[in-house]
Amino acid sequence: MSDLKDPRVLFAAERTLLAWNRTSLSFIAFGFLIERAGLLLHVLAPERAAGMNVRLGFWIGVLFILLGAFAAVWSSRQFRALLRTLSPAEFPAGYGFRWGLAVNMFVAFLGLLLVGALFIGRG
């Protein structure tokens, strides 16, 4: 348990959570870009895009999206663990510290939803 009685500890942890949120979003966006680039290559130059390249691009993209969803969930878990160590004096009155958790979990949910949509779109 923290004995600092300083709300800056909470704010530093929240900044770290939001940095992980941006990282998660970047992984998800990059994965989607990789997945769609394979399809674009297949449409623009079908003779040059072998079926293996499109499948490989799909799986690499899906793995990046899943990595982003995992990073969002894991960073939320870490933030919750830290919140349990803080004393009541380290929480500013009326401050909504759970919003970052909610946003991170929503990003993870949307990442998983995107993976599902990509699989449905393939079939």
Side-chain angles (χ1 to χ4, degrees):
M1 185 167 192
S2 174
D3 291 326
L4 296 176
K5 295 182 180 42
D6 188 354
R8 290 181 293 180
V9 174
L10 171 66
F11 297 145
E14 190 175 50
R15 281 191 304 275
T16 302
L17 175 71
L18 294 175
W20 274 107
N21 182 264
R22 290 187 299 273
T23 303
S24 300
L25 287 168
S26 298
F27 280 141
I28 291 169
F30 187 61
F32 186 73
L33 178 71
I34 290 173
E35 193 275 334
R36 292 297 150 166
L39 289 177
L40 181 64
L41 180 63
H42 186 66
V43 168
L44 293 178
E47 66 280 353
R48 294 187 65 195
M52 183 63 180
N53 290 340
V54 174
R55 283 193 303 274
L56 183 63
F58 173 81
W59 284 108
I60 290 173
V62 165
L63 288 175
F64 267 103
I65 294 168
L66 290 174
L67 178 64
F70 175 77
V73 170
W74 189 259
S75 61
S76 296
R77 182 186 173 280
Q78 293 293 100
F79 184 70
R80 282 179 51 102
L82 180 121
L83 288 179
R84 283 188 229 111
T85 67
L86 298 180
S87 67
E90 292 171 298
F91 292 92
Y95 184 73
F97 59 88
R98 287 194 171 95
W99 276 103
L101 280 172
V103 168
N104 248 21
M105 294 309 291
F106 190 64
V107 165
F109 172 73
L110 289 178
L112 294 176
L113 199 63
L114 179 60
V115 169
L118 291 175
F119 275 103
I120 290 170
R122 261 186 114 204

